[in-house]
Coordinates of all heavy atoms in Angstrom, one line a residue:
S114 N -6.7 10.0 -15.0 CA -6.1 10.4 -16.1 C -5.2 9.0 -16.7 O -4.3 9.3 -17.3 CB -5.0 11.5 -15.9 OG -4.0 11.2 -15.0
H115 N -5.8 7.9 -16.2 CA -5.4 6.7 -16.8 C -4.0 6.3 -16.6 O -3.3 5.6 -17.2 CB -5.5 6.7 -18.4 CG -6.8 7.3 -18.8 ND1 -8.1 7.0 -18.5 CD2 -6.9 8.3 -19.7 CE1 -9.0 7.7 -19.0 NE2 -8.3 8.5 -19.8
R116 N -3.5 6.6 -15.3 CA -2.2 6.4 -14.8 C -2.3 5.5 -13.6 O -3.3 5.7 -12.8 CB -1.4 7.5 -14.5 CG -0.9 8.4 -15.9 CD -0.2 9.6 -15.4 NE -1.1 10.6 -14.8 CZ -0.7 11.6 -14.2 NH1 0.7 11.7 -14.0 NH2 -1.5 12.5 -13.7
D117 N -1.3 4.6 -13.1 CA -1.4 3.8 -12.1 C -0.6 4.6 -11.0 O 0.4 5.2 -11.2 CB -0.7 2.4 -12.2 CG -1.5 1.7 -13.2 OD1 -2.8 2.0 -13.4 OD2 -1.0 0.6 -13.8
L118 N -1.2 4.5 -9.8 CA -0.6 5.2 -8.6 C 0.0 4.3 -7.6 O -0.6 3.2 -7.3 CB -1.7 6.0 -7.9 CG -1.4 6.7 -6.6 CD1 -0.3 7.8 -6.8 CD2 -2.6 7.4 -6.0
L119 N 1.2 4.5 -7.3 CA 1.8 3.8 -6.2 C 2.0 4.5 -4.8 O 2.3 5.6 -4.7 CB 3.4 3.5 -6.6 CG 4.3 2.6 -5.8 CD1 3.6 1.2 -5.6 CD2 5.6 2.5 -6.3
L120 N 1.4 3.8 -3.8 CA 1.3 4.4 -2.5 C 2.1 3.6 -1.4 O 2.0 2.4 -1.4 CB -0.2 4.5 -2.0 CG -1.0 5.5 -2.6 CD1 -2.5 5.3 -2.0 CD2 -0.5 6.9 -2.6
D121 N 2.8 4.3 -0.5 CA 3.4 3.8 0.7 C 2.5 4.3 1.8 O 2.5 5.4 2.1 CB 4.8 4.2 0.8 CG 5.3 3.9 2.2 OD1 4.7 3.3 3.1 OD2 6.6 4.2 2.4
T122 N 1.7 3.5 2.3 CA 0.6 3.9 3.3 C 0.4 3.2 4.6 O 0.8 2.0 4.7 CB -0.8 4.0 2.6 OG1 -1.8 4.6 3.4 CG2 -1.2 2.5 2.2
I123 N 0.0 3.9 5.6 CA -0.4 3.2 6.9 C -1.8 3.3 7.2 O -2.3 2.8 8.2 CB 0.3 4.0 8.1 CG1 -0.1 5.5 8.2 CG2 1.9 3.8 8.1 CD1 0.3 6.3 9.3
A124 N -2.6 3.6 6.2 CA -4.0 3.7 6.3 C -4.8 2.3 6.6 O -4.1 1.3 6.1 CB -4.7 4.6 5.1
N125 N -5.8 2.4 7.2 CA -6.6 1.2 7.5 C -7.0 0.6 6.0 O -7.6 1.2 5.3 CB -7.8 1.5 8.3 CG -8.6 0.2 8.7 OD1 -9.0 -0.6 7.8 ND2 -8.8 0.1 10.0
P126 N -6.7 -0.7 5.8 CA -7.2 -1.3 4.5 C -8.6 -1.4 4.3 O -9.1 -1.2 3.1 CB -6.5 -2.8 4.6 CG -6.1 -3.0 6.0 CD -6.0 -1.6 6.6
L127 N -9.4 -1.5 5.3 CA -10.7 -1.4 5.0 C -11.3 -0.1 4.5 O -12.1 0.0 3.7 CB -11.6 -1.8 6.5 CG -11.8 -3.2 6.7 CD1 -12.4 -3.4 8.1 CD2 -12.5 -3.9 5.7
E128 N -10.7 1.0 5.2 CA -11.0 2.3 4.7 C -10.6 2.4 3.2 O -11.3 3.1 2.5 CB -10.3 3.2 5.7 CG -10.6 4.8 5.1 CD -9.9 5.9 6.1 OE1 -9.2 5.3 7.0 OE2 -9.9 7.0 5.9
L129 N -9.4 2.0 2.9 CA -9.0 2.1 1.5 C -9.9 1.4 0.6 O -10.2 1.9 -0.5 CB -7.6 1.5 1.4 CG -6.5 2.2 2.1 CD1 -5.1 1.4 2.0 CD2 -6.2 3.6 1.5
K130 N -10.4 0.2 1.0 CA -11.3 -0.6 0.2 C -12.6 0.1 0.0 O -13.2 0.2 -1.3 CB -11.5 -2.0 0.7 CG -10.3 -2.9 0.5 CD -10.1 -3.3 -0.9 CE -9.0 -4.3 -1.1 NZ -8.7 -4.7 -2.5
N131 N -13.1 0.8 1.0 CA -14.4 1.5 0.9 C -14.3 2.6 0.0 O -15.2 3.0 -0.6 CB -14.8 2.0 2.5 CG -15.3 0.8 3.3 OD1 -15.7 -0.2 2.7 ND2 -15.2 1.0 4.6
I132 N -13.1 3.3 0.0 CA -13.0 4.5 -0.8 C -12.7 4.2 -2.3 O -13.4 4.7 -3.1 CB -11.9 5.4 -0.2 CG1 -12.2 6.0 1.2 CG2 -11.5 6.6 -1.2 CD1 -10.9 6.6 1.9
F133 N -11.9 3.2 -2.6 CA -11.4 3.1 -3.9 C -11.9 1.7 -4.6 O -11.7 1.5 -5.7 CB -9.9 3.0 -3.9 CG -9.3 4.3 -3.5 CD1 -8.6 4.2 -2.3 CD2 -9.4 5.5 -4.1 CE1 -7.9 5.5 -1.9 CE2 -9.0 6.7 -3.6 CZ -8.2 6.7 -2.4
G134 N -12.6 0.9 -3.7 CA -13.2 -0.4 -4.2 C -12.2 -1.2 -5.0 O -11.2 -1.6 -4.5
N135 N -12.6 -1.6 -6.2 CA -11.8 -2.7 -6.9 C -10.7 -2.1 -7.6 O -10.1 -2.7 -8.6 CB -12.7 -3.5 -7.9 CG -13.3 -2.6 -9.0 OD1 -13.3 -1.4 -9.0 ND2 -13.8 -3.4 -10.0
R136 N -10.5 -0.7 -7.6 CA -9.4 0.0 -8.1 C -8.1 0.1 -7.3 O -7.2 0.7 -7.7 CB -9.8 1.4 -8.7 CG -10.8 1.3 -9.7 CD -11.2 2.8 -10.1 NE -10.2 3.5 -11.0 CZ -10.4 4.7 -11.5 NH1 -11.5 5.4 -11.3 NH2 -9.4 5.2 -12.3
I137 N -8.1 -0.6 -6.3 CA -6.9 -0.7 -5.3 C -6.5 -2.1 -5.0 O -7.4 -3.1 -4.7 CB -7.2 0.1 -4.0 CG1 -5.8 0.3 -3.4 CG2 -8.2 -0.5 -3.2 CD1 -5.9 1.4 -2.2
L138 N -5.2 -2.3 -5.1 CA -4.6 -3.6 -4.6 C -3.7 -3.2 -3.4 O -2.8 -2.3 -3.5 CB -3.7 -4.1 -5.7 CG -2.8 -5.3 -5.5 CD1 -3.6 -6.5 -5.4 CD2 -1.7 -5.5 -6.5
I139 N -4.0 -3.9 -2.3 CA -3.2 -3.8 -1.0 C -2.3 -4.8 -0.7 O -2.8 -6.0 -0.5 CB -4.2 -3.5 0.1 CG1 -5.4 -2.3 -0.3 CG2 -3.6 -3.0 1.2 CD1 -6.3 -2.2 0.7
I140 N -1.1 -4.5 -0.7 CA -0.1 -5.7 -0.3 C 0.5 -5.2 1.0 O 1.2 -4.2 1.3 CB 1.0 -5.7 -1.4 CG1 0.4 -5.9 -2.7 CG2 2.1 -6.7 -1.0 CD1 1.4 -5.9 -3.9
Y141 N 0.3 -6.2 2.0 CA 1.0 -6.0 3.3 C 2.2 -6.6 3.4 O 2.5 -7.9 3.1 CB -0.1 -6.7 4.4 CG 0.3 -6.5 5.9 CD1 -0.2 -5.4 6.5 CD2 1.2 -7.3 6.5 CE1 0.1 -5.2 7.9 CE2 1.5 -7.3 7.9 CZ 0.9 -6.2 8.5 OH 1.3 -5.9 9.8
V142 N 3.3 -5.8 3.8 CA 4.7 -6.4 3.8 C 5.0 -6.3 5.3 O 4.8 -5.5 6.1 CB 5.6 -5.5 3.1 CG1 7.0 -5.9 3.2 CG2 5.3 -5.4 1.5
T143 N 5.7 -7.4 5.7 CA 6.2 -7.4 7.0 C 7.5 -8.3 7.1 O 8.0 -8.9 6.1 CB 5.1 -8.1 7.9 OG1 5.6 -8.0 9.3 CG2 4.9 -9.5 7.8
A144 N 8.2 -8.5 8.3 CA 9.3 -9.4 8.4 C 8.9 -10.7 9.0 O 7.7 -10.9 9.4 CB 10.3 -8.6 9.3
K145 N 9.7 -11.6 9.1 CA 9.5 -12.9 9.7 C 9.1 -12.9 11.1 O 8.3 -13.8 11.6 CB 10.6 -13.9 9.2 CG 10.3 -15.4 9.5 CD 11.3 -16.2 9.0 CE 10.9 -17.8 9.0 NZ 12.0 -18.6 8.4
T146 N 9.8 -12.1 11.8 CA 9.6 -11.9 13.3 C 9.6 -10.5 13.7 O 10.1 -9.6 13.0 CB 10.8 -12.5 14.0 OG1 12.0 -11.9 13.9 CG2 11.0 -14.1 13.7
N147 N 9.1 -10.2 14.9 CA 9.0 -8.8 15.4 C 10.4 -8.4 15.8 O 10.6 -7.3 15.8 CB 8.0 -8.8 16.6 CG 6.7 -8.8 16.2 OD1 6.2 -8.1 15.2 ND2 5.8 -9.7 17.0
A148 N 11.2 -9.4 16.1 CA 12.6 -9.1 16.5 C 13.4 -8.5 15.4 O 14.2 -7.6 15.6 CB 13.3 -10.3 17.0
I149 N 13.1 -8.9 14.2 CA 13.7 -8.4 13.0 C 13.2 -7.0 12.7 O 14.1 -6.1 12.4 CB 13.5 -9.4 11.7 CG1 14.2 -10.8 11.9 CG2 13.9 -8.7 10.5 CD1 13.8 -11.7 10.9
L150 N 11.9 -6.7 12.9 CA 11.3 -5.5 12.7 C 12.1 -4.4 13.8 O 12.4 -3.3 13.3 CB 9.9 -5.4 13.1 CG 9.0 -6.2 12.0 CD1 7.5 -6.2 12.4 CD2 9.1 -5.5 10.6
A151 N 12.2 -5.0 15.0 CA 12.8 -4.1 16.1 C 14.3 -3.7 15.6 O 14.7 -2.5 15.8 CB 12.7 -4.7 17.3
E152 N 15.0 -4.7 15.2 CA 16.4 -4.4 14.8 C 16.5 -3.4 13.7 O 17.4 -2.6 13.7 CB 17.2 -5.7 14.5 CG 18.6 -5.6 14.1 CD 19.4 -5.1 15.3 OE1 18.9 -5.1 16.5 OE2 20.5 -4.3 15.0
R153 N 15.6 -3.6 12.7 CA 15.7 -2.7 11.5 C 15.3 -1.2 12.0 O 15.9 -0.3 11.5 CB 14.6 -3.1 10.5 CG 15.0 -4.2 9.7 CD 14.0 -4.7 8.8 NE 14.2 -6.0 8.0 CZ 13.4 -6.8 7.3 NH1 12.2 -6.3 7.2 NH2 13.6 -7.8 6.6
I154 N 14.3 -1.2 12.9 CA 14.0 0.2 13.4 C 15.1 0.9 14.3 O 15.5 2.0 14.1 CB 12.7 0.1 14.3 CG1 11.6 -0.3 13.5 CG2 12.4 1.5 14.8 CD1 10.4 -0.7 14.3
R155 N 15.9 -0.1 15.1 CA 17.0 0.5 15.8 C 18.1 1.0 15.0 O 18.8 1.9 15.3 CB 17.5 -0.7 16.6 CG 16.8 -1.1 17.9 CD 17.6 -2.0 18.7 NE 16.9 -2.5 19.9 CZ 16.2 -3.9 19.9 NH1 16.4 -4.6 18.9 NH2 15.5 -4.3 20.9
L156 N 18.3 0.3 13.9 CA 19.3 0.7 13.0 C 19.2 2.0 12.4 O 20.2 2.7 11.8 CB 19.5 -0.4 11.8 CG 20.1 -1.7 12.3 CD1 20.2 -2.7 11.0 CD2 21.6 -1.6 12.8
R157 N 18.0 2.7 12.4 CA 17.7 4.0 11.9 C 18.2 5.0 13.0 O 18.1 6.2 12.8 CB 16.2 4.2 11.7 CG 15.6 3.3 10.7 CD 14.1 3.7 10.6 NE 13.4 2.7 9.7 CZ 12.1 2.7 9.7 NH1 11.3 3.4 10.5 NH2 11.6 1.8 9.0
G158 N 18.5 4.5 14.2 CA 18.8 5.5 15.3 C 17.6 5.9 16.0 O 17.6 7.0 16.6
T159 N 16.5 5.1 15.9 CA 15.2 5.5 16.7 C 15.4 5.3 18.2 O 16.1 4.4 18.7 CB 14.2 4.4 16.2 OG1 14.2 4.5 14.8 CG2 12.8 4.9 16.8
A160 N 14.9 6.4 18.8 CA 15.0 6.5 20.3 C 14.2 5.2 20.9 O 13.2 4.8 20.2 CB 14.4 7.8 20.9
K161 N 14.5 4.9 22.2 CA 13.9 3.8 22.8 C 12.3 3.8 22.8 O 11.6 2.9 22.6 CB 14.5 3.6 24.1 CG 13.9 2.2 24.8 CD 14.7 2.0 26.1 CE 14.3 0.8 26.7 NZ 14.9 0.5 28.1
E162 N 11.8 5.0 23.3 CA 10.4 5.2 23.5 C 9.7 5.1 22.2 O 8.6 4.6 22.0 CB 10.1 6.4 24.2 CG 10.5 6.5 25.7 CD 9.9 5.3 26.6 OE1 8.7 5.1 26.4 OE2 10.6 4.6 27.1
E163 N 10.2 5.8 21.2 CA 9.6 5.7 19.8 C 9.7 4.3 19.2 O 8.7 3.9 18.6 CB 10.3 6.6 18.8 CG 9.7 6.6 17.5 CD 10.4 7.6 16.5 OE1 11.1 8.5 16.9 OE2 10.0 7.5 15.3
L164 N 10.7 3.5 19.5 CA 10.8 2.2 19.0 C 9.6 1.4 19.7 O 8.9 0.7 19.0 CB 12.1 1.5 19.5 CG 12.4 0.0 19.2 CD1 12.1 -0.3 17.9 CD2 13.8 -0.4 19.8
K165 N 9.5 1.6 21.1 CA 8.4 0.8 21.7 C 6.9 1.2 21.0 O 6.1 0.3 20.8 CB 8.3 1.2 23.2 CG 9.4 0.6 24.0 CD 9.3 1.1 25.5 CE 10.4 0.5 26.3 NZ 10.2 0.8 27.8
M166 N 6.8 2.5 20.9 CA 5.6 3.0 20.1 C 5.3 2.3 18.8 O 4.2 2.0 18.5 CB 5.5 4.4 20.2 CG 4.1 5.0 19.7 SD 4.2 6.9 19.6 CE 4.7 7.3 21.3
R167 N 6.4 2.3 17.9 CA 6.2 1.7 16.6 C 5.9 0.3 16.7 O 5.2 -0.2 15.9 CB 7.5 2.1 15.9 CG 7.7 3.6 15.5 CD 9.0 3.7 14.7 NE 9.0 5.1 14.2 CZ 8.5 5.5 13.0 NH1 7.9 4.7 12.2 NH2 8.6 6.8 12.7
L168 N 6.7 -0.5 17.5 CA 6.3 -1.9 17.7 C 4.9 -2.1 18.1 O 4.1 -3.1 17.6 CB 7.2 -2.6 18.5 CG 8.7 -2.6 18.0 CD1 9.6 -3.2 19.3 CD2 8.9 -3.5 16.8
K169 N 4.3 -1.4 19.0 CA 3.1 -1.4 19.6 C 2.0 -1.2 18.5 O 1.1 -1.9 18.2 CB 2.8 -0.5 20.7 CG 1.4 -0.7 21.3 CD 1.2 0.4 22.5 CE -0.2 0.3 23.1 NZ -0.3 1.2 24.3
T170 N 2.2 -0.1 17.6 CA 1.5 0.2 16.6 C 1.5 -0.9 15.5 O 0.5 -1.2 14.9 CB 1.9 1.5 16.0 OG1 1.9 2.6 16.9 CG2 1.0 2.0 14.8
G171 N 2.8 -1.4 15.3 CA 2.8 -2.5 14.3 C 2.0 -3.7 14.6 O 1.3 -4.4 13.8

Side-chain angles (χ1 to χ4, degrees):
S114 59
H115 319 307
R116 292 176 290 163
D117 294 341
L118 176 63
L119 181 63
L120 290 179
D121 169 359
T122 182
I123 56 169
N125 185 305
L127 275 179
E128 182 181 353
L129 292 172
K130 289 291 185 183
N131 286 337
I132 296 169
F133 302 114
N135 67 348
R136 293 181 75 177
I137 189 166
L138 172 72
I139 309 176
I140 301 172
Y141 185 93
V142 180
T143 188
K145 193 171 185 179
T146 67
N147 286 320
I149 293 172
L150 291 174
E152 183 59 23
R153 290 175 182 172
I154 300 169
R155 281 194 192 99
L156 289 174
R157 300 176 188 168
T159 305
K161 185 174 181 179
E162 288 307 310
E163 183 181 346
L164 172 58
K165 288 181 179 179
M166 187 182 301
R167 285 180 176 272
L168 290 173
K169 181 179 179 181
T170 302

